């Protein structure tokens, strides 16, 4: 039977064009070594039923600038190798309960077969020994524990995949880095002109990623991806000690498609002026009342308080809140909202998004998932680990390099079938304020991120971290910038309070650090009107402003 399986692999390789695979030396070594080690380990332990090797080969180029000068230019490369061995059966194996850990490590940047095989062999041996220990402990623990709520298997079948991306063409990055460096100096030099700024920095990071996946079922995948991030940030301090950071973040799939310098300079000018205004803005008191969340703000809102509760593998854990586990077919959001999670797209509403991938980290093709349709829950984000009532992966097993794949978000897209203009949303806010007897509501214009609790051992609360917040007054006074606001709440009560959505999608690109480590994600959403939100005061430092002036502003020695 083992020989038959081996020859089936060979036949599939021929049919799917092994020429490209065979030209990649690292792939050939991974494939050969997996076959050798898996076959021999099965001879030692008949309970070994699955194995995979994963490599993330990542090249980085980084440039950073501060106060008008380049502070660093560097490049680096990592090859991170992750072996996975499943011991037991599909129903119960060494990964059960989520206590399984990764035994990854670094491979040298060489194509020397002997050295690479040695490194792979050592890490596979460690993974096997720890996997057998974990499986024995799980069998023992099941004898003394009550029956589990979720009885679905630990692993499920998946389609065998063969996909080969040719190596990316070599690019001379010197001219690109030179041009980007000059731009970064301009951006931070402009911020330097603002005497309120205590920190002015900018960076560009270019990532070139080649990912390898081989497994004992015959899947063979090599896929490429590229990311470019540009960030310009500044910070000031108010007289009461509150630290005030602002930033602009730009994402593109290649450095050539970053916004032009003129556009970024305009953004930096506006950010600098806003920072000075924040220093003297009033501190907001805790508040309960109506608010508008911009598209970027509501994107983070939905990612944090809704998207994480769609991640199917979390529901295997009895420590998880499992908010929606038995809610498929039920109304969970207002009926005018639909949410999809789509890793197959590179742009949403004209904006480049960074949750794109072709195959997930279990070798399953990425799929667009209709999570909510007209407010009704339709599906979860699934890996090859099923849950009661939901079988089969939809290509959302993701992890940071070296980690263990879990159900994770990709590109979250919120759409509304009942679209309101921003003027409509403002009128709804003002009318709601009047009914509630409030003199103002809030507009959350921009955020830096957020976090949420989803476990059973702590309140299922969320915290969205705004950077730009305005009071909208009922009496027609101009909108007022305020500081020191955190948006807080509990998810189920908040969902019921969403009453309308805007017309234009805005996108928040970022990285999410939940569960299996930092992975690229995006959230695209229209603005939303919420009839009741809750805010609390942001924590602040008690340190005074610097006693000495900034060195470049000190005229005593000039």
């Amino acid at each position: 039977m083992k020989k038959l399986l081996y020859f089936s692999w060979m036949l599939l390789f021929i049919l799917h064009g092994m020429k490209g695979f065979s030209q990649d030396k690292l792939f050939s070594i991974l494939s050969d070594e997996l076959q050798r080690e898996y076959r021999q380990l099965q001879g030692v332990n008949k309970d070994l039923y699955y194995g995979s090797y994963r490599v993330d080969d990542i090249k980085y180029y980084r440039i950073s600038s501060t106060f008008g000068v380049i502070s660093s230019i560097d490049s680096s490369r990592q090859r991170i190798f992750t072996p996975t061995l499943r011991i037991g059966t599909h129903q119960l194996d060494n990964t059960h309960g989520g206590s399984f850990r990764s035994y990854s490590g670094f491979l040298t940047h060489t194509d020397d077969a002997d050295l690479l095989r040695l490194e792979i062999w050592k890490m596979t041996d460690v993974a096997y020994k720890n996997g057998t220990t974990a499986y024995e402990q799980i069998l023992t623990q099941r004898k003394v524990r009550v029956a589990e709520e979720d009885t679905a298997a630990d692993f499920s079948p998946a389609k065998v995949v063969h996909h080969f991306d040719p190596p990316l063409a070599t690019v001379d990055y010197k001219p690109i880095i030179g041009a980007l460096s000059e731009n970064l100096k301009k951006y931070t030099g402009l911020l330097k002109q603002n005497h309120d700024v205590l920190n002015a920095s900018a960076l560009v990071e270019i990532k070139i990623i080649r990912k390898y996946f081989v497994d004992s079922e015959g899947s063979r995948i090599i896929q490429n991806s590229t990311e470019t991030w540009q960030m310009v940030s500044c910070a000031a301090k108010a007289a009461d000690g509150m630290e005030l950071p602002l930033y602009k973040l730009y994402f593109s799939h290649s450095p050539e498609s970053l916004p032009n310098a003129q556009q970024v300079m305009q953004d930096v000018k506006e950010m600098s002026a806003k920072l000075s205004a924040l220093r003297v803005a009033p501190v907001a008191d805790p508040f309960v009342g109506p608010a508008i969340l911009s598209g970027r703000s509501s994107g983070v809102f939905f990612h944090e308080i809704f998207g994480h509760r769609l991640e199917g593998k979390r529901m295997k854990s009895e420590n998880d809140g499992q908010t929606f586990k038995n809610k498929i077919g039920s109304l969970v959001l207002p009926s005018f909202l639909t949410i999809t999670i789509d890793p197959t797209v590179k742009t949403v509403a004209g904006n480049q998004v960074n949750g794109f991938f072709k195959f997930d980290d279990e070798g399953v093709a990425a799929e667009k998932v209709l999570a909510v349709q007209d407010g009704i829950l339709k599906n979860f984000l699934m890996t090859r680990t099923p849950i009661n009532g939901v079988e089969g992966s939809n290509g959302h097993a993701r992890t940071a390099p070296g980690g263990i794949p879990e159900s994770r978000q990709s590109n979250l897209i919120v759409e509304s079938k009942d679209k309101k203009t921003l003027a409509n949303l403002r009128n709804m806010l003002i009318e709601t304020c009047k009914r509630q007897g409030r003199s103002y509501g809030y507009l959350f214009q921009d955020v830096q991120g957020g976090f949420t609790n989803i476990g059973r051992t702590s309140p299922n609360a969320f915290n969205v971290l705004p950077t730009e917040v305005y009071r909208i007054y009922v009496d027609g006074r101009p909108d007022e910038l305020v500081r020191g606001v955190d948006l807080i709440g509990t998810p189920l009560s908040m969902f019921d309070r969403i009453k309308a959505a805007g017309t234009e999608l805005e996108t928040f690109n970022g990285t999410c650090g939940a569960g299996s480590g930092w992975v690229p994600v995006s959230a695209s959403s229209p603005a939303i009107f919420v009839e009741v939100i809750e805010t609390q005061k942001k924590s602040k430092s008690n340190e005074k402003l610097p006693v000495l002036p900034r060195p470049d502003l000190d005229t005593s020695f000039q």
Side-chain angles (χ1 to χ4, degrees):
M1 184 65 186
K2 292 175 186 175
K3 287 185 178 180
L4 177 61
L5 181 61
Y6 176 81
F7 287 120
S8 296
W9 287 351
M10 295 301 104
L11 178 60
L12 284 169
F13 290 157
I14 294 169
L15 293 175
H16 288 79
M18 273 301 292
K19 183 178 178 181
F21 283 113
S22 64
Q23 290 174 345
D24 191 298
K25 292 183 179 179
L26 178 57
F27 168 80
S28 297
I29 293 166
L30 287 170
S31 181
D32 292 346
E33 196 61 18
L34 176 65
Q35 291 176 33
R36 183 187 75 85
E37 298 201 28
Y38 183 76
R39 185 170 59 248
Q40 293 192 11
L41 286 172
Q42 270 199 323
V44 175
N45 185 348
K46 60 180 175 54
D47 289 328
L48 174 65
Y49 76 93
Y50 177 83
S52 71
Y53 285 165
R54 203 173 71 241
V55 171
D56 295 85
D57 192 339
I58 311 172
K59 296 177 183 177
Y60 299 88
Y61 297 88
R62 298 184 184 91
I63 318 162
S64 59
S65 170
T66 184
F67 283 115
V69 299
I70 296 299
S71 52
S72 69
I73 299 178
D74 61 45
S75 63
S76 61
R77 184 179 179 187
Q78 293 179 334
R79 270 184 175 176
I80 303 171
F81 170 70
T82 309
T84 296
L85 297 173
R86 286 183 175 263
I87 298 165
T89 65
H90 283 76
Q91 183 64 35
L92 178 71
D93 65 26
N94 55 304
T95 71
H96 190 80
S99 58
F100 178 67
R101 54 168 291 198
S102 171
Y103 294 92
S104 59
F106 293 98
L107 297 180
T108 53
H109 310 149
T110 178
D111 287 332
D112 183 271
D114 290 340
L115 181 54
L116 287 170
R117 290 182 193 280
L118 183 64
E119 293 172 338
I120 291 167
W121 165 70
K122 286 182 177 179
M123 284 182 267
T124 303
D125 185 65
V126 172
Y128 171 74
K129 289 174 180 175
N130 283 277
T132 55
T133 300
Y135 183 54
E136 291 167 0
Q137 291 173 345
I138 288 165
L139 293 177
T140 301
Q141 290 168 358
R142 284 175 67 85
K143 296 177 182 178
V144 297
R145 291 187 174 179
V146 298
E148 295 170 335
E149 296 174 8
D150 193 302
T151 57
D154 286 333
F155 204 51
S156 62
K159 182 181 177 181
V160 173
V161 174
H162 295 100
H163 175 87
F164 174 77
D165 280 349
L168 288 165
T170 301
V171 176
D172 181 4
Y173 279 97
K174 287 183 180 179
I176 298 172
I177 288 172
L180 291 172
S181 299
E182 291 303 311
N183 288 342
L184 295 188
K185 288 195 295 184
K186 292 177 185 176
Y187 307 152
T188 58
L190 181 59
L191 290 169
K192 182 180 178 180
Q193 297 173 21
N194 185 340
H195 295 187
D196 294 327
V197 172
L198 299 179
N199 177 59
S201 62
L203 67 86
V204 168
E205 180 180 84
I206 303 168
K207 293 174 69 176
I208 303 163
I209 306 162
R210 189 161 171 82
K211 300 183 72 165
Y212 298 77
F213 180 88
V214 300
D215 76 2
S216 57
E217 295 176 341
S219 284
R220 300 290 187 264
I221 299 168
I222 305 177
Q223 60 179 322
N224 302 325
S225 63
T226 56
E227 302 173 14
T228 301
W229 295 92
Q230 178 175 266
M231 184 172 72
V232 185
S233 63
C234 57
K237 190 182 257 300
D240 61 6
M242 182 175 290
E243 295 175 350
L244 304 168
L246 288 179
Y247 73 96
K248 293 292 293 184
L249 184 65
Y250 308 90
F251 168 80
S252 70
H253 294 286
S254 67
E256 294 85 359
S257 56
L258 285 171
N260 63 56
Q262 185 177 359
Q263 177 186 334
V264 178
M265 286 289 281
Q266 183 59 40
D267 291 344
V268 172
K269 287 178 183 178
E270 294 173 2
M271 181 171 66
S272 179
K274 204 169 293 172
L275 188 70
S276 293
L278 274 172
R279 285 196 67 245
V280 296
V283 177
D285 291 322
F287 173 83
V288 176
I292 297 170
L293 278 64
S294 72
R296 280 173 53 82
S297 300
S298 61
V300 172
F301 169 85
F302 280 110
H303 171 91
E304 291 296 342
I305 75 171
F306 194 81
H308 282 304
R309 289 169 171 81
L310 298 176
E311 295 166 343
K313 191 177 175 183
R314 293 178 181 273
M315 298 176 212
K316 295 284 286 187
S317 171
E318 295 181 6
N319 293 321
D320 192 275
Q322 300 178 351
T323 309
F324 297 129
K325 182 166 184 181
N326 299 310
K327 298 291 186 180
I328 287 183
S330 301
L331 190 71
V332 295
L333 285 175
S335 59
F336 55 85
L337 292 179
T338 290
I339 294 181
T340 54
I341 317 286
D342 190 356
T344 69
V345 295
K346 285 189 170 184
T347 60
V348 174
N351 300 310
Q352 295 192 55
V353 291
N354 67 318
F356 168 81
F357 55 90
K358 298 174 184 175
F359 298 90
D360 73 5
D361 290 314
E362 288 181 336
V364 177
E367 294 180 23
K368 177 181 178 179
V369 176
L370 177 61
V372 175
Q373 184 175 34
D374 299 333
I376 296 172
L377 183 65
K378 293 293 186 179
N379 205 350
F380 296 114
L381 305 180
M382 297 298 296
T383 68
R384 292 185 66 176
T385 300
I387 58 175
N388 284 350
V390 185
E391 295 286 337
S393 172
N394 50 35
H396 274 82
R398 306 188 67 198
T399 178
I404 298 171
E406 293 184 5
S407 313
R408 301 291 298 277
Q409 297 175 68
S410 52
N411 296 313
L412 182 146
I413 306 166
V414 181
E415 296 176 286
S416 173
K417 66 181 181 182
D418 182 17
K419 297 178 174 64
K420 307 288 186 184
T421 66
L422 183 57
N424 294 149
L425 296 180
R426 288 178 68 96
N427 289 337
M428 293 178 72
L429 181 140
I430 289 170
E431 290 302 314
T432 303
C433 284
K434 291 176 179 177
R435 288 199 307 271
Q436 295 179 2
R438 305 190 182 282
S439 59
Y440 62 84
Y442 275 123
L443 167 63
F444 292 88
Q445 186 62 43
D446 208 354
V447 296
Q448 65 181 10
F451 58 90
T452 187
N453 295 319
I454 60 170
R456 299 187 189 185
T457 57
S458 59
N460 269 216
F462 67 86
N463 192 330
V464 174
L465 307 172
T467 56
E468 186 179 349
V469 183
Y470 297 88
R471 286 177 180 150
I472 298 178
Y473 285 96
V474 171
D475 61 10
R477 277 179 281 171
D479 295 351
E480 181 182 32
L481 181 68
V482 297
R483 61 186 172 92
V485 182
D486 274 355
L487 174 59
I488 61 170
T490 53
L492 293 180
S493 61
M494 194 73 159
F495 299 148
D496 276 344
R497 303 292 191 176
I498 301 171
K499 298 302 178 183
T503 58
E504 303 296 327
L505 288 184
E506 295 180 2
T507 294
F508 187 101
N509 281 306
T511 54
C512 176
S516 57
W518 295 98
V519 298
V521 296
S522 76
S524 301
S525 174
I528 59 172
F529 168 65
V530 187
E531 65 177 359
V532 177
I533 56 97
E534 183 177 355
T535 71
Q536 68 180 19
K537 284 189 175 181
K538 190 183 294 289
S539 63
K540 73 178 187 69
S541 167
N542 290 319
E543 292 182 4
K544 293 182 178 180
L545 286 162
V547 176
L548 300 175
R550 240 173 50 194
D552 58 304
L553 302 177
D554 190 352
T555 59
S556 61
F557 291 100
Q558 297 177 7

